[in-house]
Amino acid sequence: MNGRRLCFDFNATTPIHADVLEAMTPYFCEMWGNPSSSHVFGREVRSGIETARAHTAALIGALPEEIFFVHSGTEGNNLAIKGLAHASPKSRNQIIISKIEHSSVYAACMSLKKVGFEIHELPVDKFGSVSPSSLAEVISPRTALLSVMLANNEIGTLQPISAMAEIANRYHVPFHCDAIQAAGKVPFSVNELGIDILTISSHKIYGPKGIAALYVRNGLNLSPLHHGGSQERGMQPGTENVPAIIGMGKACEISLCHMNYNIRHLKKLRNRLERKLFIELPAAEINGHPREHLPNTMNICIPGIPNDTIMTRLDQQGISLSTGSACSSSPGVPSRILQACGRSIIDALCSIRISFGLHNTDEEIDTLVRVLSEIVSCEQGEKNLYC
Ligand SMILES: *Cc1c(COP(=O)(O)O)cnc(C)c1O
């Protein structure tokens, strides 16, 4: 080990791109105006925000006026779910989500359950895929909204969003998609997907933390969560976090520009990992879909070896990764997502998530596999360096 720490936890967050920081910097000092001011200090900042909005829209194929900046992916998901639920007619009180949604969608729905909404969770198969036919079976004129994520943050599985959008459309049910983990790693556009409202978050795409965007299709009826000024056309009142918005716009611009290159790099790393694991750690079983998955995510179960042991040992060797979502994973708690895929509690507790970033290298993958297989053979009782 060369003393440098290795990180394979880029689904939790990413470091800020140097160009993003550079774009943000003037907005802390020289360009300090309030974008709502009509004088020149305000106007120059307003124009920076509108440029950021255009870049954010371009990443997902939306119109700039369909983009609303919010303070996090979590807030965006809450605004989408609660905003749609509260705007829906009284006769529609059923909400449909998948069993493997992020905690920000799941918990928002649980809070709506307390005020009388009925929550239906679509099951997933062993790969974590939702079947559009299971949606067709439960959707009805009583359905207020549908929310299914594009890519799962723990196992990387991609969902058949456009097939589900067609079904939702037939019943005039607004369709929300959490695309936070997919953005920058899978090319998509809101129109191709056919969804009505979609969330992306800046800190997952090499932008600053604490800023995100909600795409809201023109004409969609959405109630705001907060009330106050007319910022973000009343959808997110309160003075804007200007440097963060500027940073998110830059991150989206860079992400779109380099997407094909980035995807190729991530795929190459993932293929290398899969190949090496197959040879050096044949006991490892891959969780998630064998083909329809994010290029940077691999979730593996190493039967019989608890994930907190693996994480502690890797940490001692300078390697950081996690057992699952940063928002809900804690040691000793089996993943809700893996259980929904039919994994036993024991296997879920023996699973780890490896998620790469743009700066990971082939050598780092080789180091990870080597250290992992040494830890596993040590745990299985064969004494070596790491015991
Ligand atoms: C990270 C993440 C979120 C939460 O976004 P924040 O900006 O961290 O609040 C929601 N959904 C998915 C799929 C995520 O990966």
Side-chain angles (χ1 to χ4, degrees):
M1 192 101 290
N2 58 10
R4 204 163 76 81
R5 293 196 62 89
L6 303 189
C7 182
F8 298 100
D9 195 16
F10 288 88
N11 283 7
T13 194
T14 58
I16 239 178
H17 190 290
D19 294 351
V20 169
L21 179 60
E22 192 182 305
M24 291 171 71
T25 305
Y27 289 86
F28 286 103
C29 309
E30 299 122 65
M31 318 255 273
W32 52 271
N34 185 325
S36 297
S37 301
S38 52
H39 52 63
V40 65
F41 288 90
R43 290 202 309 269
E44 63 180 8
V45 172
R46 168 63 49 205
S47 116
I49 288 184
E50 295 317 315
T51 304
R53 196 184 307 283
H55 286 306
T56 303
L59 178 63
I60 58 172
L63 298 171
E65 76 234 38
E66 294 172 315
I67 298 297
F68 295 83
F69 288 111
V70 293
H71 297 131
S72 65
T74 297
E75 189 175 44
N77 285 343
N78 270 270
L79 174 55
I81 305 272
K82 295 175 189 168
L84 285 175
H86 292 310
S88 68
K90 283 264 174 296
S91 58
R92 291 181 180 257
N93 74 339
Q94 180 207 40
I95 294 172
I96 305 177
I97 60 173
S98 85
K99 260 193 169 354
I100 60 168
E101 292 306 305
H102 186 265
S103 56
S104 54
V105 165
Y106 186 75
C109 289
M110 288 308 129
S111 85
L112 288 169
K113 192 174 174 178
K114 291 197 188 123
V115 296
F117 283 89
E118 174 199 313
I119 315 298
H120 184 93
E121 295 176 44
L122 300 171
V124 295
D125 64 14
K126 66 175 177 177
F127 299 137
S129 303
V130 178
S131 126
S133 60
S134 70
L135 170 63
E137 279 166 26
V138 293
I139 198 166
S140 78
R142 277 203 317 108
T143 310
L145 72 107
L146 166 68
S147 179
V148 179
M149 69 204 319
L150 180 47
N152 184 270
N153 46 304
E154 284 191 32
I155 53 175
T157 299
L158 302 173
Q159 302 298 349
I161 296 296
S162 21
M164 286 187 263
E166 253 171 57
I167 299 169
N169 209 10
R170 259 185 259 149
Y171 289 85
H172 305 289
V173 171
F175 188 0
H176 167 252
C177 182
D178 172 349
I180 293 173
Q181 208 54 253
K185 293 178 235 164
V186 200
F188 68 87
S189 85
V190 288
N191 291 320
E192 262 169 37
L193 291 179
I195 51 88
D196 302 293
I197 179 164
L198 173 143
T199 324
I200 60 174
S201 180
S202 153
H203 77 102
K204 303 285 172 77
I205 56 166
Y206 302 84
K209 295 171 178 57
I211 187 74
L214 193 61
Y215 153 80
V216 182
R217 184 183 293 285
N218 265 332
L220 186 70
N221 204 2
L222 189 71
S223 302
L225 285 184
H226 306 298
H227 300 87
S230 61
Q231 290 91 351
E232 296 301 286
R233 286 148 289 155
M235 206 50 82
Q236 181 68 338
T239 302
E240 296 87 341
N241 184 349
V242 176
I245 290 175
I246 302 295
M248 176 163 192
K250 194 68 188 177
C252 288
E253 181 188 359
I254 296 170
S255 179
L256 180 59
C257 179
H258 298 299
M259 190 163 342
N260 291 338
Y261 173 85
N262 292 346
I263 291 173
R264 240 179 293 132
H265 175 68
L266 295 170
K267 270 191 182 151
K268 189 169 72 88
L269 293 176
R270 196 183 181 285
N271 287 341
R272 187 180 185 91
L273 174 64
E274 192 165 346
R275 220 170 42 238
K276 295 243 154 186
L277 277 177
F278 188 71
I279 299 165
E280 297 189 36
L281 232 168
E285 298 161 9
I286 297 179
N287 296 314
H289 200 284
R291 289 173 310 279
E292 297 297 313
H293 56 66
L294 285 173
N296 81 317
T297 307
M298 191 184 290
N299 192 307
I300 57 171
C301 172
I302 308 175
I305 321 265
N307 54 19
D308 50 354
T309 306
I310 297 179
M311 273 179 61
T312 312
R313 297 284 176 129
L314 283 175
D315 200 44
Q316 288 162 352
Q317 299 304 318
I319 299 177
S320 306
L321 49 72
S322 76
T323 58
S325 165
C327 303
S328 47
S329 67
S330 32
V333 179
S335 154
R336 170 172 64 81
I337 309 305
L338 293 176
Q339 288 185 79
C341 301
R343 276 285 184 193
S344 67
I345 289 178
I346 303 275
D347 281 351
L349 285 171
C350 293
S351 295
I352 55 171
R353 175 181 75 181
I354 301 161
S355 56
F356 324 117
L358 300 176
H359 307 293
N360 285 130
T361 62
D362 285 353
E363 293 69 41
E364 292 180 355
I365 300 287
D366 297 353
T367 305
L368 171 67
V369 176
R370 180 173 49 78
V371 176
L372 252 184
S373 58
E374 277 161 354
I375 291 170
V376 169
S377 58
C378 166
E379 288 302 316
Q380 286 169 342
E382 300 160 31
K383 278 267 170 263
N384 68 31
L385 198 60
Y386 297 93
C387 293

